[in-house]
Amino acid sequence: MPDPGALRFPDGFLWGVATSAYQIEGGVRQDGRGPSIWDTQCHHTNLVRDGHTGDVAVDHYNRWADDVELMAALGLQAYRFSVAWPRVQPTGSGPANQPGLDFYSRLVDRLLEKGITPALTLYHWDLPQALEDRGGWPERDTAEHFAEYAQIVFGALHDRVRIWATHNEPWCSSLLGYAEPSHAPGHTDAVEATRAIHHINLSHGLAVRAMRAIDPRPQQGVVINLMPIHSVGPDPDGAAADGARRYDALRNRVWTEPMLRGRYPEDALADLAAYGGLPVEEGDLEIVAQPLDWLGINYYTDDHVRAEPGGSWLATPGMRDAVPFAPGDEHTDMGWPITPDGLRALLVELKDTYADLPPVYITENGCAYDDPVIDGAVHDERRIAYLDAHLRAVHAAIEEGVDVRGYMQWSLMDNFEWSHGYHKRFGIVHVDYDTLERTPKDSAAWYREVIARNGLAAR
Ligand code: IFM
């Protein structure tokens, strides 16, 4: 039967979900794991809502086998997860902690047994505290340590894991972590943030190079949370437009330009000069610009900037007289406007900007809504509507010629949402935080159908 309005994705399109270690694993003291900067942020600051911690999270470290069963029951084809560096190297350097590596090895084996493709991210923000104590990402050494860690994990899993990412959302690990306190390590120092930007870029290139030297076959990529930025409202002096450009430079182009073109944007260089400048040494940019097999894009919303004399945003050094804000009436529980066409436009712009753009995966997309369990069910229609709209946007981008190979919904289950603690629920599976019981939401059943038909039914 023809189904007008139905959309089919290209054959072989990979459908999955994404999670990250600190947000789901718990087990922070099991099997020799060392402390990370997020343990410190949770336990030794008041920067996480209600003092929540990832100590238990959703106990995936102990319930991983059941969670893989759940993924299989949902018909998932791929699972994007991150490895906790402090499980593998408890102090961030030195020999591998074998029990930590074994955890991921067992997980990968079980995923493969179930026909689920593992997609591994090496760094989703949980820097070993010992490395932060030695200066963290503002120090060049941390980039070298990251490459060593990458080699250890790659050495153990390259025979079974085909899709590798170095970093998740480097903007958060650098600018949010070091210039704005809501993310670990909770500093407010734009000089540190500036140095962290370059060392994270460098660590990406060093790691890709080192892993390829071991085995060139696995697909190497990186995950960036690119965010289209628009200036809005009265802007007689052009402050908002200028703010949007500067924000775009530090939010988006400071990653895409060095990684894809081997250079930093002139406007970012100019703004960051006020903070000591990027600590680029000879040869660094060639290292950063390793050819990539794929690019991961995390997309939740567009951002907007309006003029505000005297206003500035700490996480964006250099931006003055302008501030980001969230226009519109339709927001998710994060307060983020719902802007699905922004994803289509972003993908098309990337294709038009980078002639040799590698194939793209949408590595995260999703929304926080707090819908209750009623009689064993969770009716999360708003999530279904959000995901449907964003998948239509991805499909439109594919029709406009963007090579998108897969989509990973964020997130498999409700989990620890960083400075918001457990207050924001992104899962297609509900978690009861008292019992840790998992209850698939209506969106999980809907997503299973999407995967089964490799597309969307008519709306
Ligand atoms: O939960 C986060 C994830 O860790 C990184 N990307 C955005 C998600 C939702 O805020």
Side-chain angles (χ1 to χ4, degrees), residues 23 124-125 168-169 300 334 336 364 410 417-418 426:
Q23 293 179 272
H124 198 123
W125 309 349
N168 179 74
E169 302 185 354
Y300 291 87
M334 294 295 278
W336 295 342
E364 286 183 26
W410 182 273
E417 179 55 27
W418 308 112
F426 276 90

Side-chain angles (χ1 to χ4, degrees), residues 139-161:
E139 289 303 316
R140 192 175 173 96
D141 269 3
T142 304
E144 308 277 354
H145 286 305
F146 180 73
E148 271 167 39
Y149 154 67
Q151 289 171 79
I152 293 174
V153 180
F154 192 78
L157 300 176
H158 72 102
D159 54 337
R160 287 160 288 157
V161 176

Side-chain angles (χ1 to χ4, degrees), residues 19-20 23 80 124-125 168-169 172 183 223 225 298-300 334 336 364-368 410-411 415-418 420 424 426:
T19 65
S20 88
Q23 293 179 272
R80 173 174 176 247
H124 198 123
W125 309 349
N168 179 74
E169 302 185 354
C172 297
H183 272 241
V223 171
N225 49 339
N298 292 355
Y299 179 85
Y300 291 87
M334 294 295 278
W336 295 342
E364 286 183 26
N365 173 241
C367 50
W410 182 273
S411 181
N415 59 47
F416 175 77
E417 179 55 27
W418 308 112
H420 302 279
K424 307 292 177 193
F426 276 90

Side-chain angles (χ1 to χ4, degrees), residues 31 66 71 75 110 163 185 201 205 225 241 249 257 267 290 293 295 305 318 336 345 404 429 433 437 459:
D31 295 338
D66 290 344
M71 291 181 223
R110 188 65 58 85
I163 302 176
N201 273 326
N225 49 339
E257 286 289 292
D267 48 358
Q290 299 299 308
D293 298 308
L295 176 68
V305 170
W336 295 342
V404 187
V429 173
Y433 290 123
E437 187 183 352
R459 278 204 265 216

Side-chain angles (χ1 to χ4, degrees), residues 344-418:
R344 181 202 58 77
L346 166 68
L347 291 167
V348 171
E349 190 186 325
L350 272 173
K351 171 189 71 94
D352 292 345
T353 306
Y354 296 102
D356 48 0
L357 185 72
V360 167
Y361 286 90
I362 306 304
T363 33
E364 286 183 26
N365 173 241
C367 50
Y369 287 118
D370 191 358
D371 296 302
V373 182
I374 300 172
D375 296 333
V378 181
H379 303 304
D380 58 339
E381 290 85 7
R382 292 172 297 176
R383 176 168 294 98
I384 294 173
Y386 178 100
L387 297 175
D388 180 272
H390 285 78
L391 281 170
R392 285 175 194 280
V394 174
H395 192 276
I398 293 172
E399 297 224 300
E400 288 184 55
V402 187
D403 183 4
V404 187
R405 300 278 175 96
Y407 175 90
M408 314 280 158
Q409 185 273 340
W410 182 273
S411 181
L412 171 64
M413 39 190 174
D414 296 336
N415 59 47
F416 175 77
E417 179 55 27
W418 308 112

Side-chain angles (χ1 to χ4, degrees), residues 123-192:
Y123 188 77
H124 198 123
W125 309 349
D126 40 3
L127 185 72
Q129 181 60 43
L131 288 185
E132 181 54 38
D133 294 343
R134 287 152 66 179
W137 288 112
E139 289 303 316
R140 192 175 173 96
D141 269 3
T142 304
E144 308 277 354
H145 286 305
F146 180 73
E148 271 167 39
Y149 154 67
Q151 289 171 79
I152 293 174
V153 180
F154 192 78
L157 300 176
H158 72 102
D159 54 337
R160 287 160 288 157
V161 176
R162 181 167 62 86
I163 302 176
W164 289 76
T166 51
H167 282 270
N168 179 74
E169 302 185 354
W171 181 77
C172 297
S173 338
S174 55
L175 284 143
L176 275 193
Y178 288 96
E180 204 253 76
S182 64
H183 272 241
H187 297 186
T188 50
D189 186 330
V191 172
E192 287 185 350

